[in-house]
Amino acid sequence: MPNRQDIEDAARRIGSHVRRTPSYEVAPGLWFKLELLQHSGSFKARGAFNRILSAREAGELTDAGVVVASGGNAGLGVAYAAATLGVPAEVFVPVTAPATKVAKLRELGAVVHQHGREYAEAYAASTIRVAETGALFVHAYDQPEIVAGQGTVGLELPDVDTVLVATGGGGLVGGIGAALGDRVRVIAVEPAGAPTLHAALAAGKPVDVAVDSVAGDSLGARRIGTIPFALAVHHGMKSLLVTDEAIIEARRRLWDQYRIAVEHGAAAAFAALDAGAYVPDAGEHVAVVLCGANTDPATLHAETAHATG
């Protein structure tokens, strides 16, 4: 499992390539970590840079470049990192990936392959491509370098008691847990329609779950990663579930009250507070990681109009 030292090493490795995104206290004791301002629109660029740069240092990067399977955001992070470092990139996404993400992947110069309707199907196709080409495989959330890179978010957080983190495959929540150890309570927030960590904690091991959520394009893994699960158990993390309705409402409220436009997956973390799934104690300081901005603003406007009209 990655530890604090691994994450500090990752921070030094990727520091010149990623943004140190701001945190703002938007209400007494409530902080937003604006990771949606990261290159490529989400935290995924951190892990992508760490994986590719680590491989380059170890002599494991070939002319075939890199391959990743993604619901969209991991692909964007890898495509951005690869373009920055001059490395060819191929990205496998489901046919259900949002058009905005697919267009951006191509704009970044990645070769895009669309396979299946879920991340797991795109993943299977990507492994075949790696075997054919010898490219470096970059996992969306379950490699030590990826988790350590994502964990650098934790090094930038303000002094709080609790951190709420949207969770799909678990790379971000696992990395933040490793960065903060047991000094801060790290809580995973998952769509009820894609409860990867919740189901794994109940079963005592990673298990497959059905994926049926409005946030499935970014929180649509069928199972929690092995490394993130181990970190969650090691640090005694809890998982909270939020409904799609709560996610949509939280996304709308982030726009109405703070003028922050996020994708549904990022809104999940705030939904835990907004819908009352997590109620802070008096005087508790809470940070919400708003982790992704790769959304179509038209859908936000449509949902807002529906909710208010």
Side-chain angles (χ1 to χ4, degrees):
M1 294 186 298
N3 56 32
R4 172 82 177 203
Q5 186 61 58
D6 295 320
I7 292 166
E8 290 176 350
D9 289 344
R12 285 189 288 272
R13 183 177 293 115
I14 70 177
S16 63
H17 297 293
V18 301
R19 293 170 176 154
R20 184 182 180 92
T21 56
S23 298
Y24 289 111
E25 191 173 20
V26 296
L30 174 61
W31 293 79
F32 286 168
K33 170 61 168 168
L34 300 183
E35 188 61 12
L36 74 162
L37 299 178
Q38 189 54 257
H39 293 301
S40 77
S42 86
F43 67 95
K44 294 288 191 175
R46 295 174 183 262
F49 272 114
N50 197 45
R51 171 66 172 150
I52 296 172
L53 289 171
S54 295
R56 177 174 282 176
E57 291 170 9
E60 298 171 353
L61 193 60
T62 71
D63 292 341
V66 298
V67 168
V68 62
S70 169
N73 282 348
L76 288 167
V78 171
Y80 177 82
T84 302
L85 299 172
V87 175
E90 295 185 56
V91 181
F92 287 74
V93 298
V95 297
T96 53
T100 52
K101 295 185 180 183
V102 174
K104 186 63 176 178
L105 284 168
R106 293 189 170 122
E107 182 182 324
L108 288 167
V111 176
V112 181
H113 306 274
Q114 293 188 269
H115 284 269
R117 298 192 60 80
E118 293 183 14
Y119 164 77
E121 295 170 282
Y123 175 88
S126 74
T127 60
I128 296 172
R129 185 61 175 166
V130 168
E132 291 172 346
T133 65
L136 178 76
F137 183 62
V138 182
H139 200 286
Y141 53 83
D142 203 16
Q143 287 172 325
E145 302 92 338
I146 293 293
V147 175
Q150 319 304 31
T152 60
V153 172
L155 302 180
E156 300 172 8
L157 290 169
D159 185 14
V160 295
D161 304 300
T162 304
V163 183
L164 299 174
V165 186
T167 300
L172 181 60
V173 74
I176 290 176
L180 299 179
D182 298 327
R183 298 178 294 108
V184 176
R185 184 187 301 111
V186 179
I187 296 178
V189 184
E190 305 179 82
T196 56
L197 179 57
H198 198 86
L201 291 173
K205 62 181 180 180
V207 293
D208 285 347
V209 301
V211 176
D212 183 15
S213 172
V214 68
D217 63 306
S218 56
L219 305 180
R222 282 189 188 172
R223 68 164 56 198
I224 197 76
T226 302
I227 296 169
F229 176 70
L231 286 164
V233 171
H234 181 72
H235 293 292
M237 293 183 196
K238 290 176 56 180
S239 163
L240 301 176
L241 301 183
V242 291
T243 65
D244 276 5
E245 291 76 14
I247 291 170
I248 291 169
E249 174 62 16
R251 182 171 177 255
R252 183 188 68 81
R253 195 178 298 276
L254 284 167
W255 175 250
D256 284 350
Q257 292 191 357
Y258 305 102
R259 280 303 186 253
I260 299 174
V262 299
E263 59 195 78
H264 291 99
F270 182 58
L273 285 176
D274 194 48
Y278 186 76
V279 179
D281 294 332
E284 182 177 351
H285 290 253
V286 178
V288 178
V289 181
L290 298 178
C291 57
N294 293 310
T295 189
D296 181 354
T299 63
L300 173 64
H301 298 155
E303 287 175 356
T304 300
H306 178 73
T308 59

